[in-house]
């Protein structure tokens, strides 16, 4: 016999959730709510406690890779926190406004899977399993791809995860345990990282971010959601495998990664409220109809959040700026409609 706390937590969730969720019925009310909500979430994620590093970016190497000119660059985001990233520029690039930031998700070895680096057999298998090389897929379609190494992944793993055989693991648990008692959150650090990355791209004369897109799957989708919600320099967001109601997906499925859990978030907002902050910019959401992360409600648990988002877009008369593509299959990136996202 087991005596668990789950039912209490579900009841508590139902009692307190979405106290500050989107309720606006006019564009004026929405704009007030958006400004207030961004400030609230900025503090909730601990972004108000973060300061930008001052070191100059470094080009670590340049080479040719899969028909692209590739640069590996190191930037400082937080003081003494460094983000390696790759920029893939196709040799045949014709439209330099097609620039994509492609953050990585879990279980893929970090940025290696995104750029299709199959040199490690463990990463190679995950690329096939999750269709994980979406950065390389975009580059092969003529887009400029900016692929950052997510904090805690790949080359940014903490000491406990740095063995060669741990390449697919991440240090979210360890970073979260350090950050939360210091008034910060891992999701906040990931978001700050990406804002610093956009700052860096904006400083480069050879990159045009006037039509900048962020595209990510799973944990990369989570990062895309948060970055796009805060930073209006992101003109288009493509979120794959990460849009669902928190109760089914993260409360009942409470063994998910630490990066998903933010103190006091569920009392105030559901995921669709965060997505509503992207309005009226272009938004694509991808869902696998058998994605276990959707929770017991399945695709319906996703649609509840899409409806919240569409309420914000409707106030702009821009509901057609939101697309929800549902695919037959599990938790993975679906490239079937990739040309539509470009």
């Amino acid at each position: 016999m087991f005596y668990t706390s789950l039912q209490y937590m579900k009841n508590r969730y139902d009692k307190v959730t979405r106290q500050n969720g989107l309720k606006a019925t006019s564009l004026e009310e929405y704009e007030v709510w958006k400004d207030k909500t961004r400030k609230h979430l900025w503090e909730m994620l601990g972004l108000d406690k973060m300061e930008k590093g001052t070191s100059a970016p470094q080009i670590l190497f340049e080479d040719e890779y899969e028909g692209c000119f590739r640069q590996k660059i190191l930037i400082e985001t937080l003081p003494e926190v460094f983000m390696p990233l790759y920029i893939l520029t196709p040799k045949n690039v014709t439209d330099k406004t097609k620039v994509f930031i492609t953050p990585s998700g879990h279980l893929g070895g970090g940025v290696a899977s995104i750029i299709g680096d199959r040199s490690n057999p463990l990463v190679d298998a995950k690329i096939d399993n999750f269709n994980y090389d979406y950065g390389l897929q975009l580059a092969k379609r003529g887009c400029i791809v900016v692929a950052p190494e997510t904090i805690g992944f790949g080359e940014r793993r903490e000491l406990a995860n740095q063995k060669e055989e741990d390449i697919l693991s991440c240090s979210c648990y360890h970073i979260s345990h350090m950050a939360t008692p210091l008034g910060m959150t891992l999701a906040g650090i990931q978001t700050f990282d990406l804002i610093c990355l956009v700052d860096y791209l904006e400083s480069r004369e050879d990159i045009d971010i006037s039509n900048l897109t962020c595209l990510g799957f799973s944990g990369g989708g989570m990062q895309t959601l948060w970055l796009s919600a805060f930073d209006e320099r992101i003109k288009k967001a493509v979120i794959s495998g990460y849009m669902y109601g928190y109760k089914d997906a993260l409360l009942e499925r409470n063994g998910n990664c630490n990066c998903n859990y933010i103190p006091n978030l569920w009392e105030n907002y559901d995921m669709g409220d965060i997505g509503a902050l992207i309005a009226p910019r272009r938004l694509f959401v991808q869902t696998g109809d058998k994605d276990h992360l959707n929770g017991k409600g399945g695709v319906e648990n996703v649609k509840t959040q899409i409806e919240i988002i569409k309420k914000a877009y409707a106030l702009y008369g821009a509901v057609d700026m939101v697309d929800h593509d549902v695919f037959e299959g599990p938790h993975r990136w679906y490239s079937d409609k990739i040309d539509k996202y470009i």
Side-chain angles (χ1 to χ4, degrees):
M1 189 69 177
F2 294 94
Y3 303 92
T4 75
S5 60
L6 179 59
Q7 189 58 51
Y8 168 79
M9 298 298 181
K10 289 162 62 177
N11 293 342
R12 172 72 180 168
Y13 184 97
D14 291 339
K15 182 178 179 180
V16 303
T17 191
R18 290 197 72 214
Q19 294 177 41
N20 288 297
L22 176 63
K23 300 177 182 70
T25 57
S26 69
L27 185 56
E28 183 180 24
E29 288 179 357
Y30 167 76
E31 293 286 356
V32 171
W33 174 84
K34 178 162 65 172
D35 182 61
K36 181 179 178 181
T37 299
R38 279 184 175 159
K39 290 176 181 177
H40 190 197
L41 288 169
W42 190 265
E43 294 175 359
M44 195 178 292
L45 268 65
L47 285 155
D48 58 318
K49 297 178 174 64
M50 300 180 199
E51 57 183 309
K52 191 174 179 181
T54 57
S55 297
Q58 303 174 51
I59 297 176
L60 300 181
F61 70 75
E62 300 176 327
D63 65 2
E64 290 188 7
Y65 176 81
E66 295 285 350
C68 298
F69 173 65
R70 178 173 66 168
Q71 289 183 314
K72 185 175 183 182
I73 296 158
L74 191 68
I75 65 171
E76 187 179 30
T77 56
L78 293 161
E80 300 185 78
V81 175
F82 293 90
M83 170 199 285
L85 62 108
Y86 291 97
I87 298 180
L88 305 181
T89 304
K91 293 178 181 177
N92 61 345
V93 64
T94 56
D95 186 349
K96 292 191 176 182
T97 68
K98 292 182 177 179
V99 181
F100 283 75
I101 296 174
T102 57
S104 63
H106 299 79
L107 297 176
V111 72
S113 59
I114 307 305
I115 66 170
D117 181 351
R118 294 176 177 270
S119 57
N120 185 299
L122 297 174
V123 175
D124 179 49
K126 291 300 182 181
I127 291 173
D128 291 336
N129 186 45
F130 292 115
N131 192 23
Y132 234 146
D133 58 348
Y134 46 84
L136 183 59
Q137 293 174 26
L138 289 163
K140 288 185 173 180
R141 284 167 170 77
C143 303
I144 297 172
V145 171
V146 181
E149 186 76 277
T150 300
I151 188 167
F153 292 71
E155 290 184 279
R156 301 182 73 184
R157 286 171 287 157
E158 298 294 322
L159 183 61
N161 302 105
Q162 289 178 0
K163 294 178 182 177
E164 186 176 351
E165 60 267 27
D166 294 333
I167 182 61
L168 300 181
S169 69
C170 69
S171 301
C172 293
Y173 172 90
H174 307 85
I175 298 170
S176 180
H177 276 212
M178 292 187 286
T180 303
L182 292 171
M184 300 183 291
T185 63
L186 178 52
I189 296 171
Q190 291 173 334
T191 303
F192 189 83
D193 263 6
L194 292 176
I195 291 171
C196 292
L197 174 58
V198 178
D199 291 343
Y200 168 67
L201 297 178
E202 194 171 38
S203 75
R204 287 184 55 140
E205 294 182 357
D206 61 336
I207 293 180
D208 183 347
I209 67 164
S210 61
N211 193 34
L212 184 61
T213 301
C214 192
L215 180 153
F217 161 68
S218 194
M222 183 193 75
Q223 294 174 69
T224 298
L225 173 65
W226 282 114
L227 175 65
S228 304
F230 283 119
D231 197 329
E232 296 200 357
R233 291 174 296 180
I234 303 301
K235 304 303 182 186
K236 183 166 55 180
V238 185
I239 299 170
S240 175
Y242 197 86
M243 179 57 66
Y244 29 65
Y246 286 130
K247 183 181 178 183
D248 278 13
L250 292 175
L251 191 154
E252 291 205 35
R253 294 185 52 82
N254 46 55
N256 280 293
C257 185
N258 292 62
C259 56
N260 294 284
Y261 295 91
I262 296 159
N264 306 117
L265 179 62
W266 299 348
E267 292 178 288
N268 291 281
Y269 309 103
D270 210 337
M271 197 179 293
D273 296 306
I274 301 165
L277 296 171
I278 302 172
R281 291 165 287 150
R282 196 74 168 99
L283 173 63
F284 296 97
V285 176
Q286 270 197 4
T287 301
D289 65 354
K290 297 178 181 61
D291 188 337
H292 64 291
L293 294 185
N294 295 335
K296 68 179 183 183
V299 175
E300 290 304 312
N301 191 38
V302 179
K303 289 181 178 179
T304 60
Q305 305 310 302
I306 299 296
E307 288 306 309
I308 295 171
I309 293 169
K310 285 185 175 179
K311 287 178 181 178
Y313 280 79
L315 297 174
Y316 286 97
V319 173
D320 59 347
M321 294 291 280
V322 182
D323 277 16
H324 182 206
D325 295 321
V326 180
F327 299 89
E328 293 183 9
H331 186 65
R332 73 193 309 268
W333 158 253
Y334 293 90
S335 52
D336 309 50
K337 297 185 179 181
I338 190 170
D339 291 326
K340 181 174 80 169
Y341 309 145
I342 294 171

